[in-house]
Amino acid sequence: MPAPAEVFTPLADDYARYRPGYPAEMLDELAAVCGLAPDWAVADVGSGTGNLARLLLAAGHSVAGVEPNREMREAGERQLAAYPAFRSLNGAAEAIPLPDRSVDIVTVGQALHWFDVDRAKAEFRRILRGDQWVAVVWNDRLLDDDFAREYNALTHTAAMRPSPCAAPLSAGLDRLFDAAEPQHAGFPHSQRFDLPGMLGRARSSGYLPPQDAPDYAELAASMADLFNRHQRNGEVSFHYLAQLYVGRLDA
């Protein structure tokens, strides 16, 4: 199994194009819970290709994206090149290249389960100022219709190896906040794809055959059959529930 920082190396382009972002309502919830304001400086740790950073930048925040994987980091830099308030940093949750007390909130999108949480928490405490706010978010893909359930079964059948990280996306949440109880909210949203987009969404999963693998043609044919049986007006929908947990480390 590749090291965590290397898992997404071959997936960066598809991940950037086809993985879901996060709904803007999340920022309203953050403002209500912790007072998030446009002048807050954000460290987005495990920033990947910039899906969460884009939402924050569009709302006027300055964002330092911290990402250990070069290909994912460079994909994020391309995606966010229009935002002068974005800084891309080569670093990890356990070694964040930011000064002490330099940010107002740490955000983590779809990445906490990769962290050494105890070491990451020490780094969060070091770089945070004020009330030590941390927001952890991820997207749960919902199995709420026949298409979603059949897609899920197909990807499990076609998997050429276990998922790169078997831990649930919530792994480490209790250790991060300790006795403090973070506020939680969920936000439904969706993506719509034509067949090439659906195939790209599948390729962004590290456990499925890549395009140059012998088994990819069989997977693509099965995906096309699934698409044709469920498409409406040339598209299928992926439904998600975006999970948000926000709390103070020192509460």
Side-chain angles (χ1 to χ4, degrees), residues 129-143:
R129 60 194 175 211
D131 288 329
Q132 301 265 304
W133 288 105
V134 176
V136 178
V137 307
W138 69 85
N139 282 308
D140 283 330
R141 183 165 54 82
L142 302 179
L143 305 182

Side-chain angles (χ1 to χ4, degrees), residues 96-109:
I96 300 173
L98 285 171
D100 296 357
R101 295 180 297 281
S102 57
V103 300
D104 300 292
I105 187 169
V106 167
T107 60
V108 179

Side-chain angles (χ1 to χ4, degrees), residues 1 25 234 245 248:
M1 180 71 67
E25 291 82 3
Y245 288 84
R248 292 190 298 257

